[in-house]
Amino acid sequence: MARSQQFSKESVALGIDIGGTKIRLGLIEADGTVVQEMTLPTRAAERRVMDQLFLGIDTMHRVWEERAEQRPLAGIGIGSAGQIDVKRGSVHYASDLIPGYTGTPLRTLVEQRFGLPVYVDNDVNVMALAESILGAGRNLDHLVCLALGTGVGGAVIADGKLVHGVNGGAGEIGHMTVNMLGPRCICGGRGCLEVYASGTSIARRYRERLVGRKLPLPPEPVETRQVVDLWLAGQPEAVRVMEDALSALGAAIAGLVHIFNPQAVIVGGGLAEVGEPLFAALERKLTRLAMPSMLAGMQLLPAKLGGASNMIGAALQVWA
Ligand SMILES: [Zn+2]
């Protein structure tokens, strides 16, 4: 299936990105244009995630009506943190990042309240959808996507379709074991990619390395971006931590390339914004770890759509 579609510019959908800290909502045209958007905290005082979600949808609905446009809303698309049961449109599992979220029948609740068609998928899956329709993977049918942020998210498109698995858990690339003797991960596993390559882990491992080597800690908490800057400047401790992150990413991507034989691996999220030095280093790791026949013609690409990609991809489900 080619993922190029006939877009009607007339059509508008509400795209919603539900993350651990914020909910981002946007009125999105089928070509990805963001007409209007707003952001809410995922939880505020006693208000739970569904209260915040309904508040956001109510507000955007009102905004749309006040614009007095002749176009009806085509539907609501949601991309959410957690493992999403796409058939049921419910949250199969979410970590304590959003307490009480596991089991929430998202689609049913939103459909009942707003009477519009509702589509729900995982947030990184909808990012991959957006990249495959409008971004770096345009017109490609075989993609692996990684989102390198606070955590490490992943998604796979094979033969033009998102791979969901039985419970929506497929593509949990952050929890691929890249070191079977490595430290414990929050998932219960050991030596997961996320332990080395998430923003949180990079900052933590840098701090631990300074402590371990009895080097002075900076007065402020260490941010991932500082470690990256120190790496680029050649500071030895930062180089070591980033080398581990890049080796872990290289091993994970090589494994994925061997399993899925993709046309492209798309890397997005905050860490990917480092750009050329990161991609060049990753290319080198990958060349050492993956079969040349698999790498021939395969592209390692930065994501194109940036921070709005989840929200846009969420909306694109309405037309996909
Ligand atoms: Zn893990």
Side-chain angles (χ1 to χ4, degrees), residues 29-314:
E29 290 177 340
D31 65 355
T33 305
V34 180
V35 178
Q36 193 140 358
E37 69 170 298
M38 71 175 286
T39 303
L40 288 169
T42 305
R43 288 182 298 148
E46 293 302 300
R47 294 178 63 83
R48 299 174 74 90
V49 55
M50 288 311 289
D51 299 328
Q52 291 294 89
L53 180 63
F54 285 161
L55 172 67
I57 302 177
D58 279 338
T59 309
M60 292 307 273
H61 210 255
R62 211 168 38 246
V63 164
W64 182 245
E65 282 177 352
E66 281 166 7
R67 287 174 71 99
E69 297 203 32
Q70 297 307 309
R71 303 181 283 180
L73 274 185
I76 299 175
I78 300 173
S80 173
Q83 291 170 19
I84 304 299
D85 182 328
V86 175
K87 284 203 190 85
R88 292 193 172 89
S90 62
V91 182
H92 179 71
Y93 174 78
S95 72
D96 287 343
L97 201 58
I98 312 181
Y101 195 39
T102 297
T104 304
L106 267 179
R107 186 172 64 214
T108 307
L109 292 175
V110 177
E111 259 174 6
Q112 277 170 358
R113 190 169 163 121
F114 297 97
L116 285 168
V118 177
Y119 305 84
V120 188
D121 205 333
N122 164 269
D123 51 359
V124 188
N125 282 356
V126 299
M127 170 206 141
L129 185 68
E131 290 292 335
S132 75
I133 295 175
L134 301 168
R138 206 167 177 157
N139 297 324
L140 302 182
D141 280 345
H142 309 278
L143 293 173
V144 170
C145 287
L146 277 98
L148 307 179
T150 325
V152 174
V156 175
I157 291 177
D159 296 323
K161 290 203 173 92
L162 273 163
V163 177
H164 289 105
V166 65
N167 294 321
E172 277 284 11
I173 294 170
H175 297 287
M176 269 177 80
T177 299
V178 291
N179 177 5
M180 64 186 185
L181 303 176
R184 282 276 172 215
C185 174
I186 46 162
C187 74
R190 199 176 261 286
C192 295
L193 173 61
E194 191 163 292
V195 169
Y196 301 96
S198 72
T200 318
S201 297
I202 288 171
R204 176 183 46 78
R205 296 189 81 242
Y206 177 71
R207 226 172 22 244
E208 285 171 358
R209 198 165 163 81
L210 293 184
V211 171
R213 295 174 64 83
K214 300 196 167 44
L215 292 165
L217 276 170
E220 302 291 320
V222 180
E223 302 275 341
T224 314
R225 185 68 226 193
Q226 288 169 268
V227 185
V228 169
D229 288 342
L230 291 167
W231 165 59
L232 294 173
Q235 198 257 26
E237 311 311 322
V239 167
R240 181 61 194 268
V241 168
M242 285 303 292
E243 267 298 308
D244 286 351
L246 290 160
S247 295
L249 281 167
I253 295 173
L256 292 161
V257 165
H258 292 157
I259 297 168
F260 293 105
N261 188 201
Q263 290 156 298
V265 174
I266 297 176
V267 185
L271 193 59
E273 284 163 22
V274 174
E276 169 56 24
L278 183 98
F279 281 83
L282 264 185
E283 290 263 10
R284 283 197 296 277
K285 297 281 181 196
L286 201 51
T287 307
R288 264 184 252 143
L289 292 168
M291 289 159 64
S293 62
M294 295 282 209
L295 288 182
M298 197 212 76
Q299 298 171 279
L300 185 65
L301 299 170
K304 249 191 189 164
L305 299 174
S309 64
N310 295 7
M311 182 178 72
I312 294 170

